[in-house]
Amino acid sequence: MQEALAIGDFIFDDTLNKWLSDVDCEASCWLNIKDIINMAQKELSGLELSQVIEREEPYLTISQDKLQNFHCELLGKFREQLKM
């Protein structure tokens, strides 16, 4: 993704580069939340684990929804660049 963003600066307009940056940012958020949950599952148990999962899962769901929306927007965002 980082390589695509760097190349995109030279190929795409500011609007599309901003959109790509937003996708990258949201993907990073999703990965961070997954890491928090995975670490908690390895290091915690019982009530502490439940509290971490309860706190983080809503953010994970929101992030997944945003990433799914980006996926649905993908063709529309690149249609002009692909000359379709």
Side-chain angles (χ1 to χ4, degrees):
M1 186 66 182
Q2 295 301 315
E3 185 177 337
L5 287 172
I7 293 170
D9 286 340
F10 299 101
I11 299 173
F12 306 124
D13 63 22
D14 289 342
T15 303
L16 188 52
N17 282 318
K18 167 77 169 85
W19 184 83
L20 288 169
S21 179
D22 291 346
V23 173
D24 180 55
C25 182
E26 197 57 51
S28 293
C29 288
W30 184 86
L31 286 171
N32 289 339
I33 297 165
K34 285 295 285 181
D35 285 345
I36 290 168
I37 292 172
N38 289 339
M39 240 189 300
Q41 289 172 331
K42 291 176 185 173
E43 297 176 7
L44 303 174
S45 62
L47 182 59
E48 288 179 320
L49 175 59
S50 296
Q51 289 172 334
V52 170
I53 291 174
E54 186 177 317
R55 182 186 69 227
E56 298 298 330
E57 277 190 335
Y59 296 114
L60 188 66
T61 300
I62 290 167
S63 189
Q64 287 171 333
D65 290 346
K66 288 180 180 180
L67 289 169
Q68 287 174 340
N69 288 339
F70 285 134
H71 180 263
C72 293
E73 296 171 352
L74 189 62
L75 179 59
K77 293 290 182 180
F78 282 91
R79 185 180 308 272
E80 182 66 27
Q81 301 293 325
L82 297 171
K83 306 291 187 227
M84 296 182 91

